[in-house]
Amino acid sequence: MAEQPILEVRNLRKHFNLGDGKILKAVDGVNFAINKGETFGLVGESGCGKSTAGRTIIRLYEATDGEVLFNGKDIRKLEGKQRQQLYRNMQMVYQDPYASLNPRMTVGNIIAEGLDIHGLASGKKRRERVSELLNDVGLNEEHASRFPHEFSGGQRQRIGIARALAIEPQFIIADEPISALDVSVQAQVVNLFKKLQREHGLTYLFIAHDLAMVKHISDRIGVMYLGKLAEVAPSEQLYAKPLHPYTQSLLSAIPIPDPQLQRKRERIILKGEIPSPLNPPSGCPFRTRCPFAMDVCAQVMPEFKEVEPGHFVACHLHT
Amino acid sequence: MAKPILEVNDLRVSFKMYAGEVQAVRGVSFTLNKGEVLAIVGESGCGKSVTAQTIMRLNPTPPSIIKEGSSILFDGKHEITKLTNSQMEHVRGEEMGMIFQDPMTSLNPTMTIGAQISEGIRKHQKVKKVEALLRASDLLALVGISNPHERLHQYPHELSGGMRQRVMIAIALACNPKLLIADEPTTALDVTIQAQIIDLLRDIQKKTETSIIIITHDLGVVAEIAQRVLVMYAGRVVEQGYLDEIFYNPQHPYTWGLLRSVPRLDSDTKSALVSIPGTPPDLFAPPKGCAFAARCPYAMKVCTEIDPGHFRVSDTHSSACWLLHEDAPNVERPIEAGGRTHG
Ligand SMILES: Nc1ncnc2c1ncn2[C@@H]1O[C@H](COP(=O)(O)OP(=O)(O)OP(=O)(O)O)[C@@H](O)[C@H]1O
Ligand SMILES: Nc1ncnc2c1ncn2[C@@H]1O[C@H](COP(=O)(O)OP(=O)(O)OP(=O)(O)O)[C@@H](O)[C@H]1O
Ligand code: SF4
Ligand SMILES: [Mg+2]
Ligand SMILES: [Mg+2]
C-alpha cells in the first residue's frame, strides 16, 4: 500500500435546502485524495462548488453525505478537544478578504488570533512572530497596529494568509488566496507557499481559477463543473493532454500575456450560460455547452473513470 | 488628431488618518483619447482604485482629499476637481460609467435587475417606465444575457457571478457613457466567463466608441484588450506607452519585474516564479527619490535622492527611471520580448 493520504474525500455531497422544496446541489458526489506534502489544485467556473467543497472539508458546513478523512479519521466524528486539534492542523485562507477580517481588531491581533487560541506564543515572541509573518507576505511590521479597512484588497488578502500560516498547520485550504493580488505579489505569495511546503512538508488544497498559476503550484489538479469533478490528473498531464471538453475550453480561454501571440490565437469561447445547480441538466452536466455533445450525453451521467494511471475523466468521449 | 476625453494632471490624493496622511496618489498624469482602451496595472495598494474613484469623485471627502494643483479635465470642459456635488452627480450619471470589482456588493439585492437598470436610465433621461424597461431589456441583450425579458424580473442572487457582472456592465452602459471605468471587472470570474466579458467590452468599445479605463493585475487581460498601458508604483506612474511598447520594449525595472513574475503555461513548472523582493514603501512617508529604489537591483546613488521624473522613450512612451539618463550605465535587461525570461 502507498502511504496514507493526509486527506481523503469520499463521495462528498453538500446540498443547500433553499425552502419551497428547492435543493441546491452545490457539491454532488466528489472523490479525491491528497497526499502529505502535495498540492492539489481545484479549478472550475464561478459557482461550481469549489468554496463549498473547501468549507465542507474544514467543517464550516456539515456534509449532506459522504466522508472526509483527515489523517485517517472521519472529521465528522471529531468533537471537543479532537475537533480543536483539527483546527490546529487544518487552516483556511478565505476567498473574501473583506468579509473574513474582523474590522474591530488590529491586523496584529487578527494574525495572532490562532497563536492566542492555541496558546502558542505570547509577549515578545508573539510580536516577533507577527512581524515575521507580515514580512513573509510582503507587508511591514508597522502594519500590525492598523485596522483592516485601511488596506487595499490585495493587502487584506495577505493578512488572511499570514493569519492562516501563523500556527503552522499541516494542511491549508487556500480558497482563491491570490486572485486579488497583483502578479508580482502573487509570485511572492506562491513562492512563500512553496517554501513552507519544502521546509515543513505542508499540504495544500489550492482553489483558484487562474490556471497558469494553478499549474505552477499544483502537483495534481481537479477540474470541477456544477458540483462534480470533470477531470483529475497530474498537472503536467492535464495541460499537455486535457481530455474533458470543459478542461479544453478552460485552457484555451486563458489570456496570454503576450500581445502578438494573443492576436494569432484561436480560442474556444463557450456559448451559453452556466446551468443552474438548482436545475442541473440531465446526463452530463456540461452537455448544454459542450461542442461535442452526443445523444447519450443527455441521458446518462458519464462515470468518473481512470483512463490512464492517475488520470480520471467523466465524459462519454472517453469510456 | 485624436481628441482627449480625459486629461489627468498631477493628481494627488491623500487620506487623513489619525496617525498621519496616507499619500495614496502622488502626482499622476495621463491622457485618455476618445475611443481608446487604457489599462492601469501595478502592485496592490499602488493607487489604481483611488485614481479611478477620484476621476468619478466616488471617494468620500473626508477622509480623502484631492490636493491643490490636481486637475482632471473631462471631455475638454468639466474640471472634475472643481465641480459641486450636484454638478458631479450629473456628469457621473450622464457621461461616466463604472464597473466595480465585486458585482454582488454593488448591486442592490432587494431590487429586480430590471428596476435597477431602468432606474439609472430614468434618473437621467425623461422616458416613461415602460420605455426604460424596454431599453433595459435591450441592454441586457447587448451584454449577452439570454431571455432578457424574463431576466428583468429576477433578483441579483438568482444570477451567476458572470451574469451579475454583465448586469453591472449593462447598468454602466445605461446612459451611453463617454467614459467607462472598469476596476478589476474580471478578477472574480473564471476564465471562460472572463473571456466572454473581455469580448463584450471590446465589442462595446467598437460599437459605441466609448473610452475605457480598465484596472487589472492580469497582464493577459491587458494584452487582450488595451491599446495603451499605464504602469503605477507607490502612487505614481512609472511607465506608460502603447501596448507593444510596454510588452516588447519595457524600460522601467518595475515593469521588468512585473512582466517576469507572470507564470506562463509554457514555462517550467517547478522553478520558482521571479518575484520582486521587498515591499513597497509606506505611503505615510514615501521616499524622496525613486519610490522603487529600495527594491531595484539597478539602483544608483541618485535614485535614492532625486525623483527621476519622466524620461521620453518615444512620443508615446515614457519611463520614470534614472537608467534612461544619458550618463547612466548600460544594463542588460533581464527580459525578452513578451515577458519571457532568460534562463
Ligand atoms: N450558504 C449557501 N446557501 C445557499 N447556496 C449556497 C451557499 N453557499 C453557496 N451556495 C451556492 O452553491 C453553489 C456553489 O457555490 P460556491 O461558492 O461553492 O462556488 P465557487 O466554485 O466557490 O464559485 P466562485 O469561483 O465564484 O467562488 C452556488 O450556486 C452558490 O450560489
Ligand atoms: N479609505 C482609506 N483610508 C486609508 N487609506 C486608504 C483608504 N483607501 C485606500 N487607502 C490606501 O491607499 C493606497 C492605494 O489604495 P488603492 O485601493 O488605490 O490600491 P489599488 O492599487 O487599487 O490596490 P489593489 O490592487 O489591491 O486593489 C493603499 O496604500 C491603501 O492602503
Ligand atoms: S530610478 Fe533607479 S531605482 Fe528607480 S527603477 Fe530606475 S534604476 Fe531602479
Ligand atoms: Mg468560491
Ligand atoms: Mg483596487
Side-chain angles (χ1 to χ4, degrees), chain A residues 22 44-46 50 95-96 98 134-135 137-140 142-143 146 149-150 152-155 158 176 178-188 190-191 194 209-213 215-219 235-236 239 246 249-251 253-263 265 267-274 289, chain B residues 17 22 42-45 48 101-102 144-146 151 158 160-163 166 184 186-196 198-199 202 217-221 223-224 243-244 247-248 254 257-259 261-282 284 295 337-340:
Chain A
K22 284 198 234 169
E45 218 148 46
S46 173
K50 305 179 297 291
Q95 177 167 8
D96 184 348
Y98 296 88
L134 282 168
N135 280 320
V137 297
L139 296 168
N140 311 319
E142 298 92 67
H143 289 134
R146 298 200 209 157
H149 73 268
E150 296 170 41
S152 75
Q155 290 169 329
R158 283 183 267 174
E176 312 253 2
I178 53 169
S179 307
L181 308 180
D182 57 281
V183 280
S184 75
V185 184
Q186 279 188 358
Q188 199 174 334
V190 163
N191 288 340
K194 284 194 156 184
H209 54 243
D210 177 343
L211 277 95
M213 196 56 96
K215 177 192 176 213
H216 187 87
I217 193 166
S218 306
D219 301 297
S235 51
E236 292 294 340
Y239 285 82
Y246 176 58
S249 68
L250 272 184
L251 288 173
I254 298 174
I256 304 176
D258 188 331
Q260 283 169 8
L261 275 183
Q262 189 82 261
R263 281 169 211 137
R265 149 170 107 128
R267 292 181 309 168
I268 314 171
I269 294 188
L270 288 177
K271 298 275 180 286
E273 278 300 328
I274 312 166
R289 301 166 76 197
Chain B
M17 309 294 294
V22 180
E43 189 142 313
S44 177
K48 306 179 294 292
Q101 174 166 3
D102 180 1
I145 288 184
S146 55
R151 299 290 188 195
E158 298 174 83
S160 75
M163 284 164 76
R166 273 181 271 177
E184 316 241 10
T186 61
T187 308
L189 306 175
D190 56 281
V191 285
T192 60
I193 303 295
Q194 170 174 299
Q196 291 179 6
I198 299 288
D199 265 23
R202 263 210 302 233
H217 54 249
D218 188 331
L219 293 173
V221 170
E224 259 189 281
L243 183 65
D244 285 20
F247 276 79
Y248 300 117
Y254 175 66
L258 202 59
L259 288 167
S261 51
V262 186
R264 295 174 56 106
L265 278 177
D266 51 12
S267 71
D268 172 21
T269 310
K270 295 305 161 226
S271 60
L273 293 171
V274 187
S275 71
I276 305 169
T279 57
D282 192 339
F284 272 113
R295 302 170 74 186
R340 270 175 228 106

Side-chain angles (χ1 to χ4, degrees), chain B residues 94-337:
Chain B
E94 210 121 293
E95 316 195 31
M96 296 176 167
M98 175 122 186
I99 305 168
F100 295 93
Q101 174 166 3
D102 180 1
M104 205 47 198
T105 50
S106 21
L107 288 172
N108 183 340
T110 64
M111 267 168 88
T112 61
I113 302 303
Q116 295 190 48
I117 304 177
S118 55
E119 186 184 63
I121 297 173
R122 273 160 58 87
K123 227 188 224 165
H124 302 284
Q125 289 164 28
K126 284 201 181 61
V127 291
K128 292 220 174 61
K129 225 180 185 153
V130 204
E131 226 171 293
L133 274 174
L134 278 177
R135 176 137 166 70
S137 152
D138 288 348
L139 282 165
L140 287 180
L142 175 74
V143 298
I145 288 184
S146 55
N147 309 330
H149 271 297
E150 282 125 65
R151 299 290 188 195
L152 291 177
H153 307 293
Q154 289 192 305
Y155 290 88
H157 72 265
E158 298 174 83
L159 306 179
S160 75
M163 284 164 76
R164 277 183 224 135
Q165 194 58 287
R166 273 181 271 177
V167 169
M168 279 291 303
I169 297 177
I171 291 175
L173 291 175
C175 55
N176 297 320
K178 293 180 179 146
L179 172 66
L180 186 64
I181 301 184
D183 192 352
E184 316 241 10
T186 61
T187 308
L189 306 175
D190 56 281
V191 285
T192 60
I193 303 295
Q194 170 174 299
Q196 291 179 6
I197 300 284
I198 299 288
D199 265 23
L200 171 67
L201 285 175
R202 263 210 302 233
D203 202 46
I204 286 166
Q205 190 257 333
K206 274 204 205 95
K207 277 192 199 140
T208 62
E209 284 262 286
T210 310
S211 313
I212 299 180
I213 296 181
I214 181 166
I215 297 175
T216 174
H217 54 249
D218 188 331
L219 293 173
V221 170
V222 174
E224 259 189 281
I225 193 168
Q227 279 124 32
R228 286 204 302 127
V229 184
L230 206 68
V231 184
M232 283 185 69
Y233 186 81
R236 292 227 159 119
V237 175
V238 292
E239 182 159 9
Q240 60 174 312
Y242 274 98
L243 183 65
D244 285 20
E245 292 176 317
I246 300 297
F247 276 79
Y248 300 117
N249 188 25
Q251 296 294 332
H252 198 284
Y254 175 66
T255 314
W256 297 343
L258 202 59
L259 288 167
R260 272 166 47 116
S261 51
V262 186
R264 295 174 56 106
L265 278 177
D266 51 12
S267 71
D268 172 21
T269 310
K270 295 305 161 226
S271 60
L273 293 171
V274 187
S275 71
I276 305 169
T279 57
D282 192 339
L283 295 176
F284 272 113
K288 61 181 191 309
C290 168
F292 190 57
R295 302 170 74 186
C296 178
Y298 312 97
M300 302 159 284
K301 192 155 178 290
V302 60
C303 303
T304 55
E305 285 162 3
I306 307 169
D307 180 77
H310 291 271
F311 286 90
R312 180 182 170 283
V313 182
S314 77
D315 282 349
T316 51
H317 185 184
S318 68
S319 165
C321 171
W322 280 115
L323 289 175
L324 287 159
H325 191 271
E326 54 187 5
D327 296 336
N330 246 332
V331 301
E332 196 190 333
R333 211 183 290 178
I335 185 163
E336 279 174 42

